[in-house]
């Protein structure tokens, strides 16, 4: 375990039980989501490269526009 993780866990131990459980739930959900992404990319390793190539083709053809975060 890393020193940083040990520090985080030490701080978590000082919190009330319900807050510890809430943070534990968030961490576990994040780990499960990361595993799902890893499994998804492992099943189709060329998918990301294909999507990137398609995006570059559209960009070079002038069919893209700059994203404005203010309009999201």
């Amino acid at each position: 375990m890393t020193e940083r993780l040990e520090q985080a866990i030490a701080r978590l131990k000082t919190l009330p039980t319900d807050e510890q459980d809430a943070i534990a739930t968030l961490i576990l959900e994040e780990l499960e989501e990361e595993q799902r992404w890893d499994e998804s990319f492992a099943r189709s390793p060329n998918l990301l490269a294909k999507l990137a190539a398609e995006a570059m083709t559209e960009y070079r053809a002038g069919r893209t526009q700059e994203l404005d975060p203010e309009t999201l």
Side-chain angles (χ1 to χ4, degrees), residues 4 6-7 10 14 17 21-22 24 26 29 32-34 37-38 41 50-53 61 63 66 72:
R4 182 83 170 145
E6 287 177 353
Q7 290 172 351
T14 67
T17 303
D21 285 343
L26 291 172
E29 287 173 352
E32 289 168 5
E33 183 67 21
E34 187 66 27
W37 275 106
D38 289 345
F41 284 120
K50 180 183 174 190
L51 292 172
R63 295 190 309 248
E66 189 171 331
L72 293 178

Side-chain angles (χ1 to χ4, degrees), residues 22-69:
I23 293 171
T25 297
L26 291 172
I27 292 169
L28 291 170
E29 287 173 352
E30 182 65 26
L31 291 171
E32 289 168 5
E33 183 67 21
E34 187 66 27
Q35 182 177 1
R36 281 193 292 274
W37 275 106
D38 289 345
E39 290 170 355
S40 177
F41 284 120
R43 283 191 302 272
S44 53
N46 296 324
L47 179 60
L48 189 56
K50 180 183 174 190
L51 292 172
E54 289 175 9
M56 289 306 297
T57 299
E58 289 183 11
Y59 173 76
R60 289 185 190 108
R63 295 190 309 248
T64 62
Q65 61 186 27
E66 189 171 331
L67 179 64
D68 181 2

